[in-house]
Amino acid sequence: MTAFSLGAIAIFIALSRGLFLAAIQEGGEKSFFLRVVSAFFHFVLVQISALFASVFYLAYTNNVTSAIAYFLFSYSIFAGLAAAAILVDVAEIKNEADPLDDEDV
C-alpha cells in the first residue's frame, strides 16, 4: 500500500503541467500543490509507522504495544481516506484548468 501511495504522488507530480500546475501552485507556501504532496507524505509516514509498530509488537507482546500498533493502523486508514478525498479536489481543479478541446479528442 505504501508503494501505491508513492506511485500516486509520483504520477501526480509528473502530470502536473500547464494551466493545471499554475492553478495548484497559487498561494506560495500554502498552495494546493503543497497540500496534496504533504497529505500523501503524511499518509506514507503513518503507514511506515504502523508497520514498525506491528513489528515492535511482535517483538514485545503486551497490551501497550498492541494498543499503539492498533491506533497507528486505524489512523493510517483514516489518513488514506483523507489522501483519497484530496484527489477529488485535484480532479475538480484539473477539470476546470485543462478542459478538453474539440482538437484534443
Side-chain angles (χ1 to χ4, degrees):
M1 195 164 168
T2 303
F4 285 119
S5 303
L6 292 172
I9 196 63
I11 290 170
F12 171 73
I13 291 172
L15 296 179
S16 298
R17 59 182 168 76
L19 292 174
F20 175 64
L21 182 60
I24 62 175
Q25 285 184 332
E26 290 178 4
E29 290 185 18
K30 296 188 180 217
S31 70
F32 185 72
F33 180 77
L34 287 178
R35 282 187 25 211
V36 171
V37 171
S38 64
F40 273 93
F41 175 75
H42 179 255
F43 181 40
V44 169
L45 185 68
V46 171
Q47 287 177 23
I48 292 172
S49 298
L51 285 172
F52 279 128
S54 64
V55 169
F56 190 77
Y57 170 73
L58 291 175
Y60 303 100
T61 305
N62 62 42
N63 289 338
V64 174
T65 57
S66 173
I68 292 170
Y70 183 75
F71 170 76
L72 286 172
F73 170 73
S74 300
Y75 187 68
S76 70
I77 291 173
F78 289 112
L81 287 173
I86 205 165
L87 290 178
V88 174
D89 295 335
V90 169
E92 289 175 356
I93 293 172
K94 179 76 172 163
N95 191 42
E96 290 293 321
D98 288 337
L100 286 176
D101 294 329
D102 290 337
E103 301 162 1
D104 292 338
V105 180

